[in-house]
């Protein structure tokens, strides 16, 4: 059990560029969650998957945000046409079952210039 | 809809003193409640959780919390603070039978004075 991993850990980009973050959950965890955390705030739930199915996406912040989990293992979160307001920490978590404990990764810190 | 309120964005205690971090929640259905800790540049680590059953829940590192339905509270305590407890603490709620995303409070920064 190596824990949830996220890559990259840091990303600096210019406004208008697209960025993609990757999350590798704990192996055999079928649920995967994405959150955003801005400075001084708690994490904000964005979306989640059960295996490859995205079961909730209404909380994604805008249509510039999208997430995939094509084979039910790793997931990617993409932000298109980044804005300065997208600067935040993006956290991924996984759980073994629907009501299981969510284990968080270290996050990807995004800075949009 | 559910929400979480953490009273006090910063709490300062002396080493060896009691730690009390307050959390109040609102939920339309019986909630599952969580406390997570976040150290600088790290992800969130689960301290403890309440789902059903015993209302006093013990967690890691000597922390415990009590679910009080009548007060809609889930305060976190530790009898004796250590310097290593300095971190950001988040209370979170998830409706027992609903969507799986956690709703977090804004966090409380715990400062330990030597």
């Amino acid at each position: 059990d190596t824990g949830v991993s996220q890559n990259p850990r840091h990303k600096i980009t210019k406004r208008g560029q697209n960025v993609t973050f990757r999350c590798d959950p704990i192996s055999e965890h079928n649920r995967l969650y994405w959150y955003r955390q801005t400075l001084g705030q708690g994490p904000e739930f964005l979306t989640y998957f059960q295996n490859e199915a995205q079961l909730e996406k209404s909380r994604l912040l805008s249509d510039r945000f999208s997430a995939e989990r094509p084979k039910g293992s790793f997931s990617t979160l993409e932000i298109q046409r980044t804005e300065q307001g997208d600067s935040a920490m993006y956290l991924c978590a996984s759980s073994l079952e629907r009501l299981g404990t969510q284990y968080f990764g270290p996050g990807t810190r995004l800075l949009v210039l | 809809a559910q929400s979480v309120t953490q009273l006090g964005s910063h709490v300062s205690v002396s080493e060896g003193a009691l730690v009390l971090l307050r959390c109040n929640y609102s939920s339309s259905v019986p909630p599952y409640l969580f406390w997570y800790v976040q150290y600088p540049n790290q992800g969130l680590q689960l301290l403890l959780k309440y789902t059903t059953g015993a209302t006093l829940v013990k967690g890691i590192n000597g922390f415990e919390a009590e679910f009080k339905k009548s007060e809609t509270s889930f305060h976190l305590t530790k009898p004796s603070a250590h310097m290593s407890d300095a971190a950001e603490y988040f209370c979170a709620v998830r409706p027992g039978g609903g969507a799986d995303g956690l709703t977090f409070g804004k966090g409380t920064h715990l400062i330990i004075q030597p």
Side-chain angles (χ1 to χ4, degrees), chain A residues 11-21 35-39 44 46 60-66 77-91 108-113:
Chain A
K11 178 71 176 179
I12 300 174
T13 191
K14 294 182 179 180
R15 190 175 52 188
Q17 297 295 305
N18 299 343
V19 294
T20 300
F21 309 139
Y35 292 81
R36 183 182 77 159
Q37 185 178 18
T38 54
L39 201 61
E44 176 185 12
L46 297 179
L60 285 168
L61 301 164
S62 79
D63 59 7
R64 298 184 296 105
F65 288 71
S66 62
L77 177 70
E78 181 181 18
I79 309 174
Q80 296 182 328
R81 305 180 303 281
T82 54
E83 302 173 356
Q84 288 184 324
D86 297 331
S87 296
M89 175 79 85
Y90 291 84
L91 296 166
T108 295
R109 187 174 293 281
L110 173 67
L111 177 61
V112 182
L113 301 176

Side-chain angles (χ1 to χ4, degrees), chain B residues 42-62:
Chain B
Q42 295 187 27
L44 282 77
Q45 179 183 10
L46 181 70
L47 279 176
L48 48 80
K49 65 179 179 181
Y50 169 80
T51 54
T52 58
T55 57
L56 182 62
V57 180
K58 295 186 183 300
I60 62 172
N61 301 339

Side-chain angles (χ1 to χ4, degrees), chain A residues 22-35:
Chain A
R22 175 175 170 132
C23 171
D24 287 87
I26 295 171
S27 63
E28 300 181 354
H29 278 196
N30 57 29
R31 297 212 157 210
L32 187 149
Y33 311 80
W34 285 100
Y35 292 81

Side-chain angles (χ1 to χ4, degrees), chain A residues 44-60:
Chain A
E44 176 185 12
F45 170 64
L46 297 179
T47 187
Y48 80 98
F49 295 83
Q50 178 175 313
N51 299 314
E52 65 274 12
Q54 190 173 12
L55 299 185
E56 170 63 67
K57 54 183 177 181
S58 67
R59 306 280 289 274
L60 285 168

Side-chain angles (χ1 to χ4, degrees), chain A residues 9 31 33 35 37 40-43 45 48 91 98-102 104-106, chain B residues 32 36 38 41-44 46 49 90 94 96-98 100-102 104-106:
Chain A
R9 293 291 308 277
R31 297 212 157 210
Y33 311 80
Y35 292 81
Q37 185 178 18
Q41 301 293 319
F45 170 64
Y48 80 98
L91 296 166
R98 180 175 179 272
L99 297 179
T101 296
Q102 294 184 23
F104 282 80
Chain B
Y32 287 16
Y36 282 86
Q38 187 176 35
N41 300 315
Q42 295 187 27
L44 282 77
L46 181 70
K49 65 179 179 181
F90 293 96
R94 181 176 67 200
D100 289 359
L102 300 175
F104 284 85
K106 292 186 176 182

